[in-house]
Amino acid sequence: MDTIFLEQVKVQTKLGVPEWERMMPQTIILDIEIGYDLRKACKSDAIVDTIDYGAVVRRIHVTLNEHSFQLVEALAEHICQLILTEFGALSVKIKVAKPGILLGLKSLGIIIERIK
């Protein structure tokens, strides 16, 4: 399996357990690895034979603008399922980081992986 990666994708979303934390959008950072068979695209040099990376990023921005989440776990699962179902990925690994959310901590977050 081949891997498409999207690194340091910065998005705004409403995320957090306390209601006050979800009042204002905050920046989160996503690192995404998408498993896909790229052999056909390597031969054809055509976008239709791969996943349109720009479309994935745009779709993530739209969905995170439409939804709010309490847990980074739920947000990560939502994005994984979106990429698996809407873009036909074979697998997705995602790291969700909330930078600067706690004093003295660069960021916190999770990494999950889902296979179709």
Side-chain angles (χ1 to χ4, degrees):
M1 184 177 343
D2 306 305
T3 303
I4 297 165
F5 71 90
L6 306 169
E7 192 171 88
Q8 297 284 308
V9 179
K10 293 181 182 178
V11 293
Q12 295 280 312
T13 193
K14 295 180 180 176
L15 176 65
V17 173
E19 190 174 323
W20 62 264
E21 195 175 2
R22 291 188 312 279
M23 300 285 282
M24 296 287 294
Q26 57 186 284
T27 300
I28 60 168
I29 301 170
L30 308 173
D31 290 332
I32 305 168
E33 295 181 13
I34 303 169
Y36 198 76
D37 185 349
L38 296 172
R39 288 177 288 192
K40 191 172 179 183
C42 291
K43 290 178 183 174
S44 71
D45 195 26
I47 191 72
V48 298
D49 293 326
T50 188
I51 293 176
D52 183 337
Y53 323 140
V56 172
V57 172
R58 284 188 301 275
R59 185 65 180 99
I60 290 169
H61 280 278
V62 167
T63 196
L64 293 184
N65 189 44
E66 294 172 346
H67 296 87
S68 71
F69 300 89
Q70 290 187 29
L71 302 176
V72 291
E73 292 87 346
L75 182 145
E77 183 69 29
H78 178 81
I79 294 171
C80 281
Q81 294 307 316
L82 181 146
I83 294 170
L84 288 169
T85 59
E86 292 186 25
F87 293 94
L90 301 174
S91 67
V92 179
K93 181 177 181 181
I94 185 166
K95 175 182 174 183
V96 179
K98 288 176 69 172
I101 197 70
L102 294 174
L103 187 61
L105 187 66
K106 181 178 178 180
S107 66
L108 62 81
I110 61 153
I111 299 172
I112 66 170
E113 186 170 6
R114 299 293 180 257
I115 298 171
K116 194 172 213 176

